[in-house]
Amino acid sequence: MDWEAHIERWSRTAVRLLDIRQYCMENGTVPDRFVAHTSFFVVTTRGEARVSLSGTVYQTRTLHILHGGKEAEVDFMPLGNNFACYLILYKAACESPEDWESFYMPYAFTPYALLPLQEKCQAMNRLWQQATPMDKLQAQAAFLSFVYEVMRQICTSAADNSRPNSVTEAIHYIHEHYRESITAEKLAGIYNCSVSYLSRLFKNQLGVGPIEYLIHVRIHKSKQFLLKSEARIQEVAGSVGYADVYYFSRLFKKHTGCSPLQFREDNRQAVQNNPLCLLKSSIVSPKPVSHNENESYYQWIGEGDTSMFRFSRPSFGAMMLLCTTLLLSACQASSNTGTTDSQPAPANTAKDNTAVETRIYEHLKGKTEIPVKPQRVISLFHLGELMALGVKPVGATTYILNNPLLSDTSDIADVGVPPDVEMILSLEPDLIVTTGPFAEVVEGGYEALNRIAPTIVVEQYNDPVKDVEMFGDILGKQEEARQWNEAFATKIAEYREKISPFIGADETFSILNVRPGAFYVYGDTNMGGNIIYKYLGLKSNEKVKTDVINGETWEISAEVIPDFIGDRLFLAVNEGAEGDMKEVEKLIQNSPAGKAGRIYNIDFDQFLPSDPISVEQQLDIIVNLLIGNNK
């Protein structure tokens, strides 16, 4: 099916919700057969059933969506007594036979994010059952929101041909629902994973936890409301999800350095003098919801500290892009055909007028024309990879600039976290490299970045060998990449030989991280696990192998810590976790590693990064600990 054409018809066709019905097996309301008199969706919300749609049988389970049209026959065959579904009837005012065919087309879809669609169905059903015209109107809006989410997930699945990135999807959910009460548990439930796993993904891919990112979004939105409206502070607080205006004011000051009123006073003049500033409008506050600061997670830079979100000035990235898009597009177009002396040089080309040699690079967002030898690169996630190849980017994010193992970063501009498009634009890059999640958190997303300069979205391998090879290709540094990988392989071989006299053939290794209120065991990806298990070829504890490396365990409870400790233990205790360490100290000391005196203390901040430069230094630290402890 041509989904782009189908969505285009949805965008230009008047559609009206006719009815929504909830069927449940336990109360006997599920019909044996339904003959449609209009277009419809069937949304399975609980249990399992065989549903026949116009002769085609589908095995549906939570959550599954079927679509059909007029005169279609639907036969329900529930498998068990807990089956439930919604039947959503709608009518499209089509203007052509092609349009009618599109809205009557039968198809089935299994969403990857269940909760957003389930919430929309519940809201739609609740509103539709109310008697007031206002509720009916709101139900119509909820229906279109439901359709949008269905089409978005269908297109994402079709484009990625795999399960989409959970962090990217969680970011999308936060941007749509930041006014509502959102907890880490709720986000994790949407994507069928544990809270600790989702938090780990966020921190590995963005450098901040999911709730810290939610707070950023709310503070950022509140700034926009303060500058573009005359809404009272209480209205602004309610509009971004805080019922308590005093709590909102304290939180706002914590992350911006000033109160909401002071921020408005200090920055309003600059906004009003900007000719691109949108007209002021009032802000209608939705029903307020509460937010608990205790939802915050421990962060890489310290518990509850989100100072990386602090802004020194208001962000006008979206407004600036309105006026720069045409100019940049024209510049980019002219760079493909060459420039003349009478034309201004493009912002993302070299300062002289010589033509820049380009090539087509295929990445996660498609194919993009990039310079063969980029000179002004901005990297939103990978920094050590570039520096390992002798390339220093003109800009990078706060997260990777804070890496304690990278030196000589003083002249690399900090574009912030989330990245500030205004800052990126001012650096005049000729190439922007980002990961999927970082592309999502930029205001305007990937498209905004791509208007500034050619932008490619790459995989986050967290593997120095793969990453160096990838960036050698991107930067035209293939020979440098080959040399680095050869030198790294030689170093690994030398270190294996160096430690072999000190390590028993059957000795096992573990990595434990103690954080405030939590205990984590690492596998073979980062925190030294890739070095210990993959590069040096050392053995893991059996429990680590089955539950962590080959499973999905990450966070563990205190009482099972001994099960995950092998003959040797690498231990990282975070700042603020001293009390938690005392709680489990006896368990650790009574383990095989503790009794043998083979516990090695490592620095969490040093071992969290997995770029090539950091991994090389981590390798040195690990080998020195192993040899030094045995002398």
Side-chain angles (χ1 to χ4, degrees):
M1 183 171 178
D2 187 345
W3 291 110
E4 289 297 327
H6 184 64
I7 292 170
E8 192 276 332
R9 292 187 177 102
W10 271 100
S11 69
R12 60 177 169 78
T13 303
V15 179
R16 183 165 60 92
L17 176 65
L18 296 180
D19 195 10
I20 176 169
R21 306 168 189 173
Q22 184 176 24
Y23 295 135
C24 299
M25 191 62 193
E26 59 261 30
N27 59 20
T29 59
V30 178
D32 293 333
R33 173 169 296 185
F34 169 79
V35 179
H37 63 278
T38 187
S39 301
F40 65 90
F41 288 97
V42 174
V43 184
T44 300
T45 57
R46 192 174 72 243
E48 189 174 354
R50 289 192 185 93
V51 179
S52 173
L53 175 60
S54 298
T56 301
V57 177
Y58 299 92
Q59 188 90 359
T60 71
R61 57 173 58 88
T62 312
L63 183 78
H64 195 86
I65 294 175
L66 298 174
H67 179 272
K70 188 176 182 180
E71 297 181 359
E73 292 187 5
V74 184
D75 296 316
F76 295 92
M77 294 162 278
L79 303 176
N81 293 322
N82 66 337
F83 176 73
C85 68
Y86 287 103
L87 176 64
I88 304 170
L89 305 173
Y90 73 93
K91 182 177 182 179
C94 300
E95 298 179 354
S96 67
E98 292 80 9
D99 288 353
W100 283 116
E101 184 178 348
S102 183
F103 285 99
Y104 287 170
M105 180 74 67
Y107 57 83
F109 171 60
T110 302
Y112 54 80
L114 312 183
L115 190 58
L117 288 166
Q118 194 162 328
E119 286 179 338
K120 294 178 193 302
C121 286
Q122 290 169 349
M124 199 189 326
N125 183 57
R126 183 184 68 254
L127 291 165
W128 190 254
Q129 308 311 319
Q130 305 301 316
T132 69
M134 187 64 72
D135 290 324
K136 299 283 187 182
L137 179 61
Q138 195 172 358
Q140 295 281 354
F143 171 65
L144 290 178
S145 179
F146 163 82
V147 172
Y148 165 78
E149 182 63 22
V150 170
M151 297 303 156
R152 188 188 72 82
Q153 292 197 34
I154 286 175
C155 288
T156 301
S157 298
D160 293 349
N161 293 317
S162 62
R163 184 179 177 88
N165 184 296
S166 296
V167 173
T168 301
E169 287 299 311
I171 289 168
H172 175 82
Y173 184 87
I174 287 171
H175 278 268
E176 277 209 336
H177 299 271
Y178 66 89
R179 295 181 176 89
E180 303 167 13
S181 177
I182 298 178
T183 65
E185 289 77 12
K186 185 173 184 178
L187 285 172
I190 295 174
Y191 305 105
N192 294 321
C193 63
S194 68
V195 170
S196 61
Y197 181 72
L198 183 63
S199 179
R200 177 188 184 186
L201 291 179
F202 259 81
K203 291 171 187 176
N204 285 347
Q205 298 182 37
L206 289 180
V208 294
I211 300 304
E212 280 75 14
Y213 182 72
L214 169 64
I215 292 172
H216 156 71
V217 171
R218 288 171 165 171
I219 296 297
H220 180 67
K221 293 292 184 182
S222 67
K223 288 179 180 179
Q224 294 180 326
F225 293 155
L226 287 167
L227 294 178
K228 298 179 183 180
S229 78
E230 296 295 341
R232 294 179 296 113
I233 303 303
Q234 186 165 0
E235 289 181 285
V236 172
S239 294
V240 296
Y242 297 112
D244 186 340
V245 66
Y246 299 106
Y247 170 71
F248 164 72
S249 296
R250 290 195 304 272
L251 193 66
F252 188 94
K253 187 172 184 179
K254 175 182 176 181
H255 297 300
T256 66
C258 61
S259 69
L261 283 175
Q262 189 63 48
F263 177 84
R264 172 182 274 170
E265 183 66 26
D266 291 346
N267 296 281
R268 173 63 65 84
Q269 191 65 34
V271 175
Q272 290 180 342
N273 289 339
N274 190 316
L276 295 178
C277 182
L278 300 176
L279 293 175
K280 302 177 196 175
S281 62
S282 61
I283 303 297
V284 178
S285 175
K287 183 178 179 180
V289 293
S290 62
H291 175 76
N292 188 345
E293 192 171 22
N294 292 329
E295 293 167 3
S296 295
Y297 278 84
Y298 178 86
Q299 288 306 293
W300 189 41
I301 58 172
E303 184 177 9
D305 182 3
T306 53
S307 59
M308 63 174 64
F309 292 148
R310 183 163 298 172
F311 298 97
S312 59
R313 55 193 170 89
S315 172
F316 304 122
M319 292 185 291
M320 287 186 66
L321 283 173
L322 290 173
C323 70
T324 58
T325 297
L326 292 177
L327 174 61
L328 288 172
S329 297
C331 290
Q332 289 169 352
S334 65
S335 68
N336 293 331
T337 58
T339 58
T340 65
D341 292 339
S342 61
Q343 294 173 314
N348 59 344
T349 62
K351 292 298 180 181
D352 58 19
N353 286 329
T354 58
V356 176
E357 187 180 359
T358 62
R359 67 187 179 102
I360 300 299
Y361 186 83
E362 187 168 359
H363 56 104
L364 296 181
K365 286 287 186 179
K367 296 180 179 180
T368 299
E369 186 176 9
I370 68 172
V372 172
K373 297 284 187 179
Q375 301 299 309
R376 296 183 61 81
V377 181
I378 288 179
S379 177
L380 301 187
F381 182 82
H382 299 89
L383 177 55
E385 291 79 2
L386 274 68
M387 297 179 71
L389 297 172
V391 175
K392 183 176 287 189
V394 296
T397 53
T398 309
Y399 170 44
I400 54 176
L401 286 171
N402 282 340
N403 183 344
L405 297 180
L406 297 181
S407 59
D408 193 24
T409 61
S410 57
D411 54 347
I412 301 175
D414 185 353
V415 301
V417 175
D420 184 342
V421 288
E422 194 178 350
M423 170 66 79
I424 293 173
L425 182 64
S426 70
L427 294 173
E428 299 184 359
D430 59 0
L431 177 66
I432 300 172
V433 185
T434 181
T435 59
F438 263 114
E440 286 293 319
V441 301
V442 174
E443 185 174 359
Y446 171 79
E447 291 74 17
L449 291 173
N450 203 37
R451 292 188 189 107
I452 297 173
T455 301
I456 58 175
V457 181
V458 299
E459 292 280 5
Q460 182 185 334
Y461 289 120
N462 289 328
D463 182 322
V465 175
K466 288 183 179 179
D467 285 333
V468 165
E469 183 178 357
M470 176 174 65
F471 277 92
D473 180 37
I474 292 171
L475 302 171
K477 298 278 186 178
Q478 289 87 348
E479 179 59 24
E480 290 86 343
R482 184 188 65 79
Q483 292 177 4
W484 190 94
N485 279 334
E486 286 183 357
F488 185 66
T490 299
K491 186 173 184 177
I492 291 295
E494 291 175 352
Y495 275 3
R496 279 193 172 197
E497 185 176 348
K498 194 173 183 179
I499 66 173
S500 61
F502 305 101
I503 306 297
D506 296 323
E507 282 192 287
T508 59
F509 291 74
S510 306
I511 306 166
L512 177 66
N513 175 213
V514 180
R515 304 185 187 182
F519 306 97
Y520 298 93
V521 176
Y522 279 83
D524 58 356
T525 53
N526 60 348
M527 196 53 63
N530 48 351
I531 297 169
I532 294 169
Y533 303 129
K534 289 182 179 178
Y535 305 141
L536 296 179
L538 302 174
K539 293 182 178 180
S540 67
N541 165 280
E542 185 62 28
K543 191 73 170 172
V544 171
K545 182 179 179 180
T546 58
D547 291 18
V548 184
I549 296 176
N550 296 331
E552 295 186 354
T553 299
W554 187 45
E555 183 177 0
I556 61 174
S557 57
E559 60 269 17
V560 300
I561 284 178
D563 298 336
F564 289 86
I565 297 181
D567 299 310
R568 302 188 185 225
L569 174 67
F570 288 86
L571 177 64
V573 181
N574 291 53
E575 184 179 350
E578 294 80 9
D580 301 88
M581 182 59 198
K582 285 183 179 180
E583 177 187 342
V584 298
E585 191 166 10
K586 286 185 178 180
L587 293 175
I588 294 174
Q589 292 301 328
N590 288 329
S591 69
K595 291 178 179 178
R598 289 176 172 172
I599 298 176
Y600 310 102
N601 292 304
I602 59 175
D603 187 302
F604 177 82
D605 290 346
Q606 288 184 332
F607 275 78
L608 186 61
S610 55
D611 63 272
I613 293 177
S614 298
V615 168
E616 276 202 282
Q617 295 183 56
Q618 293 162 6
L619 177 60
D620 294 338
I621 294 170
I622 288 174
V623 169
N624 288 335
L625 286 171
L626 291 175
I627 294 176
N629 192 260
N630 284 276
K631 288 183 177 178

